[in-house]
PDB file of all heavy atoms in Angstrom:
ATOM      1  N   LYS A   1      -0.152   1.574 -11.524  1.00 95.00           N
ATOM      2  CA  LYS A   1      -0.519   2.131 -10.217  1.00 95.00           C
ATOM      3  C   LYS A   1      -1.030   3.561 -10.364  1.00 95.00           C
ATOM      4  O   LYS A   1      -1.927   3.997  -9.628  1.00 95.00           O
ATOM      5  CB  LYS A   1       0.676   2.080  -9.275  1.00 95.00           C
ATOM      6  CG  LYS A   1       0.935   0.707  -8.674  1.00 95.00           C
ATOM      7  CD  LYS A   1      -0.215   0.268  -7.781  1.00 95.00           C
ATOM      8  CE  LYS A   1       0.086  -0.990  -7.005  1.00 95.00           C
ATOM      9  NZ  LYS A   1      -1.031  -1.397  -6.126  1.00 95.00           N
ATOM     10  N   CYS A   2      -0.451   4.305 -11.304  1.00 94.00           N
ATOM     11  CA  CYS A   2      -0.921   5.663 -11.585  1.00 94.00           C
ATOM     12  C   CYS A   2      -2.348   5.626 -12.133  1.00 94.00           C
ATOM     13  O   CYS A   2      -3.219   6.382 -11.684  1.00 94.00           O
ATOM     14  CB  CYS A   2       0.027   6.331 -12.571  1.00 94.00           C
ATOM     15  SG  CYS A   2      -0.443   8.006 -13.041  1.00 94.00           S
ATOM     16  N   LEU A   3      -2.596   4.748 -13.104  1.00 95.00           N
ATOM     17  CA  LEU A   3      -3.949   4.592 -13.642  1.00 95.00           C
ATOM     18  C   LEU A   3      -4.933   4.200 -12.552  1.00 95.00           C
ATOM     19  O   LEU A   3      -6.058   4.722 -12.481  1.00 95.00           O
ATOM     20  CB  LEU A   3      -3.954   3.512 -14.734  1.00 95.00           C
ATOM     21  CG  LEU A   3      -3.170   3.758 -16.020  1.00 95.00           C
ATOM     22  CD1 LEU A   3      -3.259   2.524 -16.910  1.00 95.00           C
ATOM     23  CD2 LEU A   3      -3.697   4.972 -16.763  1.00 95.00           C
ATOM     24  N   THR A   4      -4.503   3.286 -11.681  1.00 96.00           N
ATOM     25  CA  THR A   4      -5.403   2.728 -10.677  1.00 96.00           C
ATOM     26  C   THR A   4      -5.811   3.770  -9.643  1.00 96.00           C
ATOM     27  O   THR A   4      -6.957   3.765  -9.173  1.00 96.00           O
ATOM     28  CB  THR A   4      -4.739   1.523  -9.996  1.00 96.00           C
ATOM     29  OG1 THR A   4      -4.348   0.579 -10.987  1.00 96.00           O
ATOM     30  CG2 THR A   4      -5.690   0.853  -9.023  1.00 96.00           C
ATOM     31  N   GLU A   5      -4.908   4.661  -9.296  1.00 95.00           N
ATOM     32  CA  GLU A   5      -5.274   5.716  -8.340  1.00 95.00           C
ATOM     33  C   GLU A   5      -6.440   6.552  -8.872  1.00 95.00           C
ATOM     34  O   GLU A   5      -7.362   6.893  -8.124  1.00 95.00           O
ATOM     35  CB  GLU A   5      -4.070   6.614  -8.048  1.00 95.00           C
ATOM     36  CG  GLU A   5      -3.160   6.081  -6.975  1.00 95.00           C
ATOM     37  CD  GLU A   5      -2.282   7.165  -6.371  1.00 95.00           C
ATOM     38  OE1 GLU A   5      -2.482   8.357  -6.695  1.00 95.00           O
ATOM     39  OE2 GLU A   5      -1.395   6.830  -5.573  1.00 95.00           O
ATOM     40  N   GLN A   6      -6.391   6.902 -10.154  1.00 94.00           N
ATOM     41  CA  GLN A   6      -7.496   7.685 -10.711  1.00 94.00           C
ATOM     42  C   GLN A   6      -8.780   6.869 -10.727  1.00 94.00           C
ATOM     43  O   GLN A   6      -9.871   7.389 -10.445  1.00 94.00           O
ATOM     44  CB  GLN A   6      -7.162   8.153 -12.127  1.00 94.00           C
ATOM     45  CG  GLN A   6      -8.282   8.962 -12.773  1.00 94.00           C
ATOM     46  CD  GLN A   6      -7.836   9.722 -13.994  1.00 94.00           C
ATOM     47  OE1 GLN A   6      -6.748  10.296 -14.025  1.00 94.00           O
ATOM     48  NE2 GLN A   6      -8.668   9.727 -15.029  1.00 94.00           N
ATOM     49  N   LEU A   7      -8.651   5.574 -11.036  1.00 95.00           N
ATOM     50  CA  LEU A   7      -9.827   4.708 -11.035  1.00 95.00           C
ATOM     51  C   LEU A   7     -10.448   4.655  -9.643  1.00 95.00           C
ATOM     52  O   LEU A   7     -11.676   4.744  -9.490  1.00 95.00           O
ATOM     53  CB  LEU A   7      -9.425   3.312 -11.496  1.00 95.00           C
ATOM     54  CG  LEU A   7     -10.548   2.288 -11.660  1.00 95.00           C
ATOM     55  CD1 LEU A   7     -11.478   2.683 -12.802  1.00 95.00           C
ATOM     56  CD2 LEU A   7      -9.969   0.903 -11.910  1.00 95.00           C
ATOM     57  N   VAL A   8      -9.621   4.518  -8.614  1.00 95.00           N
ATOM     58  CA  VAL A   8     -10.115   4.478  -7.236  1.00 95.00           C
ATOM     59  C   VAL A   8     -10.813   5.784  -6.876  1.00 95.00           C
ATOM     60  O   VAL A   8     -11.862   5.787  -6.215  1.00 95.00           O
ATOM     61  CB  VAL A   8      -8.955   4.183  -6.265  1.00 95.00           C
ATOM     62  CG1 VAL A   8      -9.409   4.349  -4.817  1.00 95.00           C
ATOM     63  CG2 VAL A   8      -8.417   2.778  -6.482  1.00 95.00           C
ATOM     64  N   SER A   9     -10.254   6.894  -7.319  1.00 94.00           N
ATOM     65  CA  SER A   9     -10.834   8.198  -6.978  1.00 94.00           C
ATOM     66  C   SER A   9     -12.233   8.379  -7.564  1.00 94.00           C
ATOM     67  O   SER A   9     -13.026   9.175  -7.061  1.00 94.00           O
ATOM     68  CB  SER A   9      -9.912   9.318  -7.466  1.00 94.00           C
ATOM     69  OG  SER A   9      -9.902   9.403  -8.890  1.00 94.00           O
ATOM     70  N   GLU A  10     -12.543   7.647  -8.641  1.00 94.00           N
ATOM     71  CA  GLU A  10     -13.870   7.752  -9.243  1.00 94.00           C
ATOM     72  C   GLU A  10     -14.960   7.192  -8.324  1.00 94.00           C
ATOM     73  O   GLU A  10     -16.141   7.455  -8.532  1.00 94.00           O
ATOM     74  CB  GLU A  10     -13.893   7.023 -10.587  1.00 94.00           C
ATOM     75  CG  GLU A  10     -12.992   7.653 -11.642  1.00 94.00           C
ATOM     76  CD  GLU A  10     -12.950   6.846 -12.937  1.00 94.00           C
ATOM     77  OE1 GLU A  10     -13.697   5.834 -13.026  1.00 94.00           O
ATOM     78  OE2 GLU A  10     -12.184   7.204 -13.846  1.00 94.00           O
ATOM     79  N   TYR A  11     -14.564   6.427  -7.318  1.00 94.00           N
ATOM     80  CA  TYR A  11     -15.523   5.808  -6.396  1.00 94.00           C
ATOM     81  C   TYR A  11     -15.614   6.560  -5.066  1.00 94.00           C
ATOM     82  O   TYR A  11     -16.233   6.079  -4.127  1.00 94.00           O
ATOM     83  CB  TYR A  11     -15.130   4.351  -6.127  1.00 94.00           C
ATOM     84  CG  TYR A  11     -15.429   3.419  -7.281  1.00 94.00           C
ATOM     85  CD1 TYR A  11     -14.643   3.418  -8.414  1.00 94.00           C
ATOM     86  CD2 TYR A  11     -16.505   2.540  -7.230  1.00 94.00           C
ATOM     87  CE1 TYR A  11     -14.903   2.568  -9.482  1.00 94.00           C
ATOM     88  CE2 TYR A  11     -16.788   1.677  -8.285  1.00 94.00           C
ATOM     89  CZ  TYR A  11     -15.980   1.700  -9.415  1.00 94.00           C
ATOM     90  OH  TYR A  11     -16.255   0.860 -10.462  1.00 94.00           O
ATOM     91  N   GLN A  12     -14.992   7.734  -4.983  1.00 92.00           N
ATOM     92  CA  GLN A  12     -14.943   8.427  -3.692  1.00 92.00           C
ATOM     93  C   GLN A  12     -16.308   8.928  -3.225  1.00 92.00           C
ATOM     94  O   GLN A  12     -16.501   9.183  -2.030  1.00 92.00           O
ATOM     95  CB  GLN A  12     -13.944   9.590  -3.759  1.00 92.00           C
ATOM     96  CG  GLN A  12     -14.210  10.608  -4.836  1.00 92.00           C
ATOM     97  CD  GLN A  12     -13.044  11.572  -5.005  1.00 92.00           C
ATOM     98  OE1 GLN A  12     -12.059  11.528  -4.273  1.00 92.00           O
ATOM     99  NE2 GLN A  12     -13.150  12.453  -5.973  1.00 92.00           N
ATOM    100  N   SER A  13     -17.253   9.051  -4.132  1.00 91.00           N
ATOM    101  CA  SER A  13     -18.603   9.439  -3.708  1.00 91.00           C
ATOM    102  C   SER A  13     -19.424   8.229  -3.254  1.00 91.00           C
ATOM    103  O   SER A  13     -20.466   8.384  -2.611  1.00 91.00           O
ATOM    104  CB  SER A  13     -19.328  10.153  -4.854  1.00 91.00           C
ATOM    105  OG  SER A  13     -19.465   9.283  -5.975  1.00 91.00           O
ATOM    106  N   LYS A  14     -18.940   7.016  -3.583  1.00 93.00           N
ATOM    107  CA  LYS A  14     -19.659   5.793  -3.227  1.00 93.00           C
ATOM    108  C   LYS A  14     -19.085   5.113  -1.995  1.00 93.00           C
ATOM    109  O   LYS A  14     -19.812   4.436  -1.264  1.00 93.00           O
ATOM    110  CB  LYS A  14     -19.632   4.806  -4.404  1.00 93.00           C
ATOM    111  CG  LYS A  14     -20.225   5.357  -5.692  1.00 93.00           C
ATOM    112  CD  LYS A  14     -20.067   4.344  -6.824  1.00 93.00           C
ATOM    113  CE  LYS A  14     -20.607   4.896  -8.136  1.00 93.00           C
ATOM    114  NZ  LYS A  14     -20.441   3.928  -9.264  1.00 93.00           N
ATOM    115  N   LEU A  15     -17.767   5.258  -1.800  1.00 94.00           N
ATOM    116  CA  LEU A  15     -17.091   4.570  -0.709  1.00 94.00           C
ATOM    117  C   LEU A  15     -16.207   5.549   0.057  1.00 94.00           C
ATOM    118  O   LEU A  15     -15.653   6.496  -0.537  1.00 94.00           O
ATOM    119  CB  LEU A  15     -16.208   3.443  -1.266  1.00 94.00           C
ATOM    120  CG  LEU A  15     -16.894   2.267  -1.967  1.00 94.00           C
ATOM    121  CD1 LEU A  15     -15.852   1.441  -2.727  1.00 94.00           C
ATOM    122  CD2 LEU A  15     -17.629   1.404  -0.960  1.00 94.00           C
ATOM    123  N   PRO A  16     -16.035   5.337   1.378  1.00 94.00           N
ATOM    124  CA  PRO A  16     -15.048   6.130   2.133  1.00 94.00           C
ATOM    125  C   PRO A  16     -13.646   5.597   1.833  1.00 94.00           C
ATOM    126  O   PRO A  16     -13.273   4.526   2.311  1.00 94.00           O
ATOM    127  CB  PRO A  16     -15.443   5.893   3.591  1.00 94.00           C
ATOM    128  CG  PRO A  16     -16.197   4.600   3.570  1.00 94.00           C
ATOM    129  CD  PRO A  16     -16.808   4.430   2.230  1.00 94.00           C
ATOM    130  N   ILE A  17     -12.888   6.324   1.023  1.00 95.00           N
ATOM    131  CA  ILE A  17     -11.640   5.800   0.464  1.00 95.00           C
ATOM    132  C   ILE A  17     -10.438   6.507   1.056  1.00 95.00           C
ATOM    133  O   ILE A  17     -10.421   7.736   1.244  1.00 95.00           O
ATOM    134  CB  ILE A  17     -11.634   5.959  -1.076  1.00 95.00           C
ATOM    135  CG1 ILE A  17     -12.628   4.977  -1.700  1.00 95.00           C
ATOM    136  CG2 ILE A  17     -10.238   5.740  -1.658  1.00 95.00           C
ATOM    137  CD1 ILE A  17     -12.807   5.143  -3.181  1.00 95.00           C
ATOM    138  N   ALA A  18      -9.411   5.704   1.352  1.00 95.00           N
ATOM    139  CA  ALA A  18      -8.096   6.223   1.728  1.00 95.00           C
ATOM    140  C   ALA A  18      -7.059   5.536   0.832  1.00 95.00           C
ATOM    141  O   ALA A  18      -7.116   4.326   0.619  1.00 95.00           O
ATOM    142  CB  ALA A  18      -7.797   5.950   3.197  1.00 95.00           C
ATOM    143  N   ILE A  19      -6.133   6.319   0.308  1.00 96.00           N
ATOM    144  CA  ILE A  19      -5.078   5.788  -0.551  1.00 96.00           C
ATOM    145  C   ILE A  19      -3.755   5.881   0.197  1.00 96.00           C
ATOM    146  O   ILE A  19      -3.366   6.958   0.658  1.00 96.00           O
ATOM    147  CB  ILE A  19      -5.001   6.562  -1.883  1.00 96.00           C
ATOM    148  CG1 ILE A  19      -6.285   6.361  -2.683  1.00 96.00           C
ATOM    149  CG2 ILE A  19      -3.795   6.118  -2.700  1.00 96.00           C
ATOM    150  CD1 ILE A  19      -6.361   7.172  -3.960  1.00 96.00           C
ATOM    151  N   CYS A  20      -3.094   4.744   0.322  1.00 96.00           N
ATOM    152  CA  CYS A  20      -1.816   4.664   1.038  1.00 96.00           C
ATOM    153  C   CYS A  20      -0.701   4.454   0.023  1.00 96.00           C
ATOM    154  O   CYS A  20      -0.773   3.520  -0.788  1.00 96.00           O
ATOM    155  CB  CYS A  20      -1.872   3.509   2.037  1.00 96.00           C
ATOM    156  SG  CYS A  20      -0.322   3.161   2.877  1.00 96.00           S
ATOM    157  N   ARG A  21       0.337   5.297   0.073  1.00 95.00           N
ATOM    158  CA  ARG A  21       1.450   5.218  -0.888  1.00 95.00           C
ATOM    159  C   ARG A  21       2.766   4.894  -0.170  1.00 95.00           C
ATOM    160  O   ARG A  21       3.532   5.800   0.168  1.00 95.00           O
ATOM    161  CB  ARG A  21       1.615   6.544  -1.625  1.00 95.00           C
ATOM    162  CG  ARG A  21       0.491   6.953  -2.547  1.00 95.00           C
ATOM    163  CD  ARG A  21       0.804   8.323  -3.116  1.00 95.00           C
ATOM    164  NE  ARG A  21      -0.197   8.822  -4.034  1.00 95.00           N
ATOM    165  CZ  ARG A  21      -0.435  10.119  -4.224  1.00 95.00           C
ATOM    166  NH1 ARG A  21       0.255  11.029  -3.532  1.00 95.00           N
ATOM    167  NH2 ARG A  21      -1.341  10.506  -5.101  1.00 95.00           N
ATOM    168  N   PRO A  22       3.063   3.627   0.055  1.00 94.00           N
ATOM    169  CA  PRO A  22       4.374   3.297   0.639  1.00 94.00           C
ATOM    170  C   PRO A  22       5.485   3.488  -0.395  1.00 94.00           C
ATOM    171  O   PRO A  22       5.270   3.346  -1.596  1.00 94.00           O
ATOM    172  CB  PRO A  22       4.229   1.812   1.011  1.00 94.00           C
ATOM    173  CG  PRO A  22       2.777   1.494   0.856  1.00 94.00           C
ATOM    174  CD  PRO A  22       2.236   2.445  -0.138  1.00 94.00           C
ATOM    175  N   SER A  23       6.687   3.788   0.087  1.00 92.00           N
ATOM    176  CA  SER A  23       7.838   3.824  -0.806  1.00 92.00           C
ATOM    177  C   SER A  23       8.403   2.411  -0.914  1.00 92.00           C
ATOM    178  O   SER A  23       7.653   1.441  -0.893  1.00 92.00           O
ATOM    179  CB  SER A  23       8.882   4.831  -0.300  1.00 92.00           C
ATOM    180  OG  SER A  23       9.355   4.477   0.985  1.00 92.00           O
ATOM    181  N   ILE A  24       9.708   2.239  -1.005  1.00 92.00           N
ATOM    182  CA  ILE A  24      10.299   0.909  -1.145  1.00 92.00           C
ATOM    183  C   ILE A  24      10.201   0.184   0.197  1.00 92.00           C
ATOM    184  O   ILE A  24      10.753   0.636   1.200  1.00 92.00           O
ATOM    185  CB  ILE A  24      11.761   1.017  -1.596  1.00 92.00           C
ATOM    186  CG1 ILE A  24      11.844   1.749  -2.942  1.00 92.00           C
ATOM    187  CG2 ILE A  24      12.394  -0.359  -1.711  1.00 92.00           C
ATOM    188  CD1 ILE A  24      13.262   2.047  -3.397  1.00 92.00           C
ATOM    189  N   VAL A  25       9.486  -0.938   0.224  1.00 93.00           N
ATOM    190  CA  VAL A  25       9.234  -1.676   1.470  1.00 93.00           C
ATOM    191  C   VAL A  25      10.307  -2.745   1.647  1.00 93.00           C
ATOM    192  O   VAL A  25      10.545  -3.560   0.750  1.00 93.00           O
ATOM    193  CB  VAL A  25       7.830  -2.315   1.451  1.00 93.00           C
ATOM    194  CG1 VAL A  25       7.566  -3.051   2.757  1.00 93.00           C
ATOM    195  CG2 VAL A  25       6.761  -1.249   1.216  1.00 93.00           C
ATOM    196  N   ILE A  26      10.946  -2.738   2.807  1.00 93.00           N
ATOM    197  CA  ILE A  26      12.052  -3.663   3.080  1.00 93.00           C
ATOM    198  C   ILE A  26      11.768  -4.480   4.339  1.00 93.00           C
ATOM    199  O   ILE A  26      10.658  -4.451   4.863  1.00 93.00           O
ATOM    200  CB  ILE A  26      13.394  -2.899   3.203  1.00 93.00           C
ATOM    201  CG1 ILE A  26      13.294  -1.824   4.290  1.00 93.00           C
ATOM    202  CG2 ILE A  26      13.780  -2.271   1.880  1.00 93.00           C
ATOM    203  CD1 ILE A  26      14.614  -1.103   4.552  1.00 93.00           C
ATOM    204  N   ALA A  27      12.757  -5.195   4.813  1.00 94.00           N
ATOM    205  CA  ALA A  27      12.585  -6.162   5.909  1.00 94.00           C
ATOM    206  C   ALA A  27      12.043  -5.513   7.178  1.00 94.00           C
ATOM    207  O   ALA A  27      12.195  -4.310   7.419  1.00 94.00           O
ATOM    208  CB  ALA A  27      13.917  -6.842   6.204  1.00 94.00           C
ATOM    209  N   ALA A  28      11.428  -6.347   8.017  1.00 95.00           N
ATOM    210  CA  ALA A  28      10.807  -5.869   9.257  1.00 95.00           C
ATOM    211  C   ALA A  28      11.841  -5.276  10.206  1.00 95.00           C
ATOM    212  O   ALA A  28      12.962  -5.773  10.320  1.00 95.00           O
ATOM    213  CB  ALA A  28      10.074  -7.013   9.944  1.00 95.00           C
ATOM    214  N   TRP A  29      11.430  -4.231  10.881  1.00 94.00           N
ATOM    215  CA  TRP A  29      12.284  -3.579  11.882  1.00 94.00           C
ATOM    216  C   TRP A  29      12.146  -4.307  13.227  1.00 94.00           C
ATOM    217  O   TRP A  29      13.123  -4.777  13.797  1.00 94.00           O
ATOM    218  CB  TRP A  29      11.877  -2.116  11.987  1.00 94.00           C
ATOM    219  CG  TRP A  29      12.576  -1.313  13.039  1.00 94.00           C
ATOM    220  CD1 TRP A  29      13.808  -1.546  13.569  1.00 94.00           C
ATOM    221  CD2 TRP A  29      12.081  -0.128  13.675  1.00 94.00           C
ATOM    222  NE1 TRP A  29      14.118  -0.584  14.511  1.00 94.00           N
ATOM    223  CE2 TRP A  29      13.078   0.307  14.584  1.00 94.00           C
ATOM    224  CE3 TRP A  29      10.919   0.614  13.562  1.00 94.00           C
ATOM    225  CZ2 TRP A  29      12.923   1.446  15.378  1.00 94.00           C
ATOM    226  CZ3 TRP A  29      10.767   1.754  14.339  1.00 94.00           C
ATOM    227  CH2 TRP A  29      11.764   2.153  15.233  1.00 94.00           C
ATOM    228  N   LYS A  30      10.914  -4.445  13.723  1.00 93.00           N
ATOM    229  CA  LYS A  30      10.675  -5.064  15.028  1.00 93.00           C
ATOM    230  C   LYS A  30       9.753  -6.270  14.935  1.00 93.00           C
ATOM    231  O   LYS A  30       9.991  -7.295  15.590  1.00 93.00           O
ATOM    232  CB  LYS A  30      10.048  -4.049  15.988  1.00 93.00           C
ATOM    233  CG  LYS A  30      10.908  -2.822  16.282  1.00 93.00           C
ATOM    234  CD  LYS A  30      10.144  -1.875  17.209  1.00 93.00           C
ATOM    235  CE  LYS A  30      10.922  -0.609  17.508  1.00 93.00           C
ATOM    236  NZ  LYS A  30      10.153   0.316  18.382  1.00 93.00           N
ATOM    237  N   GLU A  31       8.663  -6.136  14.183  1.00 92.00           N
ATOM    238  CA  GLU A  31       7.611  -7.151  14.172  1.00 92.00           C
ATOM    239  C   GLU A  31       7.305  -7.597  12.753  1.00 92.00           C
ATOM    240  O   GLU A  31       7.516  -6.832  11.803  1.00 92.00           O
ATOM    241  CB  GLU A  31       6.325  -6.597  14.816  1.00 92.00           C
ATOM    242  CG  GLU A  31       6.464  -6.180  16.254  1.00 92.00           C
ATOM    243  CD  GLU A  31       5.191  -5.514  16.773  1.00 92.00           C
ATOM    244  OE1 GLU A  31       4.345  -5.086  15.958  1.00 92.00           O
ATOM    245  OE2 GLU A  31       5.053  -5.413  17.997  1.00 92.00           O
ATOM    246  N   PRO A  32       6.761  -8.799  12.598  1.00 92.00           N
ATOM    247  CA  PRO A  32       6.532  -9.837  13.624  1.00 92.00           C
ATOM    248  C   PRO A  32       7.819 -10.525  14.064  1.00 92.00           C
ATOM    249  O   PRO A  32       7.890 -11.086  15.146  1.00 92.00           O
ATOM    250  CB  PRO A  32       5.601 -10.818  12.922  1.00 92.00           C
ATOM    251  CG  PRO A  32       5.936 -10.656  11.473  1.00 92.00           C
ATOM    252  CD  PRO A  32       6.303  -9.219  11.276  1.00 92.00           C
ATOM    253  N   LEU A  33       8.854 -10.475  13.191  1.00 93.00           N
ATOM    254  CA  LEU A  33      10.179 -10.991  13.524  1.00 93.00           C
ATOM    255  C   LEU A  33      11.201  -9.992  12.998  1.00 93.00           C
ATOM    256  O   LEU A  33      11.147  -9.623  11.828  1.00 93.00           O
ATOM    257  CB  LEU A  33      10.409 -12.364  12.866  1.00 93.00           C
ATOM    258  CG  LEU A  33       9.464 -13.506  13.258  1.00 93.00           C
ATOM    259  CD1 LEU A  33       9.609 -14.664  12.280  1.00 93.00           C
ATOM    260  CD2 LEU A  33       9.762 -13.962  14.674  1.00 93.00           C
ATOM    261  N   PRO A  34      12.127  -9.539  13.813  1.00 94.00           N
ATOM    262  CA  PRO A  34      13.132  -8.592  13.329  1.00 94.00           C
ATOM    263  C   PRO A  34      13.890  -9.160  12.129  1.00 94.00           C
ATOM    264  O   PRO A  34      14.383 -10.284  12.160  1.00 94.00           O
ATOM    265  CB  PRO A  34      14.059  -8.407  14.537  1.00 94.00           C
ATOM    266  CG  PRO A  34      13.205  -8.729  15.719  1.00 94.00           C
ATOM    267  CD  PRO A  34      12.281  -9.815  15.266  1.00 94.00           C
ATOM    268  N   GLY A  35      13.940  -8.384  11.057  1.00 94.00           N
ATOM    269  CA  GLY A  35      14.658  -8.805   9.863  1.00 94.00           C
ATOM    270  C   GLY A  35      13.877  -9.699   8.932  1.00 94.00           C
ATOM    271  O   GLY A  35      14.403 -10.118   7.897  1.00 94.00           O
ATOM    272  N   TRP A  36      12.606 -10.006   9.242  1.00 95.00           N
ATOM    273  CA  TRP A  36      11.860 -10.928   8.389  1.00 95.00           C
ATOM    274  C   TRP A  36      11.602 -10.326   7.016  1.00 95.00           C
ATOM    275  O   TRP A  36      11.164  -9.189   6.872  1.00 95.00           O
ATOM    276  CB  TRP A  36      10.528 -11.304   9.031  1.00 95.00           C
ATOM    277  CG  TRP A  36       9.756 -12.271   8.165  1.00 95.00           C
ATOM    278  CD1 TRP A  36       9.951 -13.618   8.080  1.00 95.00           C
ATOM    279  CD2 TRP A  36       8.697 -11.955   7.272  1.00 95.00           C
ATOM    280  NE1 TRP A  36       9.077 -14.158   7.167  1.00 95.00           N
ATOM    281  CE2 TRP A  36       8.305 -13.162   6.656  1.00 95.00           C
ATOM    282  CE3 TRP A  36       8.062 -10.760   6.911  1.00 95.00           C
ATOM    283  CZ2 TRP A  36       7.284 -13.218   5.710  1.00 95.00           C
ATOM    284  CZ3 TRP A  36       7.050 -10.811   5.960  1.00 95.00           C
ATOM    285  CH2 TRP A  36       6.669 -12.034   5.378  1.00 95.00           C
ATOM    286  N   VAL A  37      11.874 -11.103   5.984  1.00 94.00           N
ATOM    287  CA  VAL A  37      11.600 -10.734   4.601  1.00 94.00           C
ATOM    288  C   VAL A  37      11.460 -12.040   3.824  1.00 94.00           C
ATOM    289  O   VAL A  37      12.158 -13.013   4.109  1.00 94.00           O
ATOM    290  CB  VAL A  37      12.723  -9.837   4.026  1.00 94.00           C
ATOM    291  CG1 VAL A  37      14.067 -10.547   4.049  1.00 94.00           C
ATOM    292  CG2 VAL A  37      12.398  -9.355   2.615  1.00 94.00           C
ATOM    293  N   ASP A  38      10.550 -12.074   2.870  1.00 90.00           N
ATOM    294  CA  ASP A  38      10.292 -13.346   2.174  1.00 90.00           C
ATOM    295  C   ASP A  38      10.412 -13.239   0.658  1.00 90.00           C
ATOM    296  O   ASP A  38       9.897 -14.087  -0.072  1.00 90.00           O
ATOM    297  CB  ASP A  38       8.907 -13.882   2.540  1.00 90.00           C
ATOM    298  CG  ASP A  38       7.783 -13.045   1.939  1.00 90.00           C
ATOM    299  OD1 ASP A  38       8.051 -11.912   1.489  1.00 90.00           O
ATOM    300  OD2 ASP A  38       6.624 -13.514   1.917  1.00 90.00           O
ATOM    301  N   ASN A  39      11.096 -12.195   0.166  1.00 87.00           N
ATOM    302  CA  ASN A  39      11.228 -12.044  -1.281  1.00 87.00           C
ATOM    303  C   ASN A  39      12.564 -11.391  -1.606  1.00 87.00           C
ATOM    304  O   ASN A  39      13.261 -10.880  -0.722  1.00 87.00           O
ATOM    305  CB  ASN A  39      10.076 -11.204  -1.847  1.00 87.00           C
ATOM    306  CG  ASN A  39      10.063  -9.800  -1.283  1.00 87.00           C
ATOM    307  OD1 ASN A  39      10.838  -8.941  -1.676  1.00 87.00           O
ATOM    308  ND2 ASN A  39       9.165  -9.545  -0.319  1.00 87.00           N
ATOM    309  N   LEU A  40      12.921 -11.426  -2.882  1.00 85.00           N
ATOM    310  CA  LEU A  40      14.196 -10.865  -3.330  1.00 85.00           C
ATOM    311  C   LEU A  40      13.999  -9.565  -4.096  1.00 85.00           C
ATOM    312  O   LEU A  40      14.852  -9.160  -4.890  1.00 85.00           O
ATOM    313  CB  LEU A  40      14.928 -11.883  -4.224  1.00 85.00           C
ATOM    314  CG  LEU A  40      15.258 -13.228  -3.573  1.00 85.00           C
ATOM    315  CD1 LEU A  40      15.989 -14.130  -4.557  1.00 85.00           C
ATOM    316  CD2 LEU A  40      16.078 -13.047  -2.314  1.00 85.00           C
TER     317      LEU A  40
END
């Protein structure tokens, strides 16, 4: 993921780029179903 961020940045003159960095993603709070999670 560290390598890939730099790779993506190399295209910033060609594409309008936004990089989103979520932390640890867990079960749904409200939507689409409260508590929904499909992995361990």
Side-chain angles (χ1 to χ4, degrees):
K1 282 296 189 179
C2 179
L3 295 177
T4 305
E5 276 200 7
Q6 179 165 319
L7 184 67
V8 171
S9 70
E10 295 176 4
Y11 285 75
Q12 57 191 356
S13 62
K14 302 176 182 179
L15 295 167
I17 289 174
I19 295 175
C20 174
R21 294 177 179 152
S23 61
I24 301 173
V25 181
I26 57 175
W29 176 26
K30 299 178 182 179
E31 299 174 343
L33 299 166
W36 181 80
V37 60
D38 70 345
N39 62 77
L40 300 181

